Amino acid sequence: MTAQAFGKRIRQLREKAGLSQLELSLRCDELSASYIGFIEQGKKAPTITTMNKIADGLGLTLGEILGDDEPAIMYDPSINRMIAYATALTPAERDDMVEIVKLINKRFSR
């Protein structure tokens, strides 16, 4: 697969997941939104490590990305936005969010 074809595939899958380049970058350890943009435009040829980070960020395997078939599982876009938001939180904010979710779950599981 060429860098251009890989970039086009990433863009299609990112858009299908309802993620912006920034949201995907927040889910991809140490990748900036601009770097993802360069990959999508075919201007950068990513390493296998980078491809795996992007696959993880999309919630897919590298095989699903490189294959011709549509991935079997794609998260709902609203779930992807929540994951991107949570990824951007500080550890303390994440702990607070977990406590809030526990309280809500306790309240509504009666």
Side-chain angles (χ1 to χ4, degrees):
M1 180 177 279
T2 66
Q4 290 79 15
F6 180 79
K8 183 178 178 182
R9 178 81 166 147
I10 294 303
R11 182 177 182 187
Q12 290 170 339
L13 293 171
R14 176 184 59 76
E15 289 176 346
K16 183 177 179 181
L19 294 171
S20 68
Q21 289 177 346
L22 177 60
E23 290 168 329
L24 178 57
S25 75
L26 291 172
R27 296 175 67 179
C28 297
D29 188 37
E30 301 175 10
L31 296 182
S32 69
S34 61
Y35 187 68
I36 289 174
F38 287 136
I39 291 171
E40 288 183 358
Q41 295 168 31
K43 294 180 180 179
K44 294 284 183 181
T47 64
I48 293 294
T49 301
T50 299
M51 288 186 211
N52 277 313
K53 287 180 182 182
I54 292 171
D56 288 344
L58 290 168
L60 302 170
T61 66
L62 189 51
E64 288 173 311
I65 289 176
L66 297 176
D68 291 333
D69 297 332
E70 282 301 306
I73 300 172
M74 288 290 290
Y75 292 113
D76 180 275
S78 62
I79 298 294
N80 282 324
R81 284 190 293 279
M82 286 187 275
I83 292 169
Y85 173 75
T87 304
L89 297 174
T90 66
E93 290 170 331
R94 283 188 211 137
D95 290 343
D96 290 345
M97 190 170 106
V98 167
E99 291 305 315
I100 291 168
V101 170
K102 285 179 182 177
L103 288 171
I104 292 170
N105 187 39
K106 184 178 178 182
R107 171 76 166 97
F108 290 101
S109 64
R110 294 179 183 174

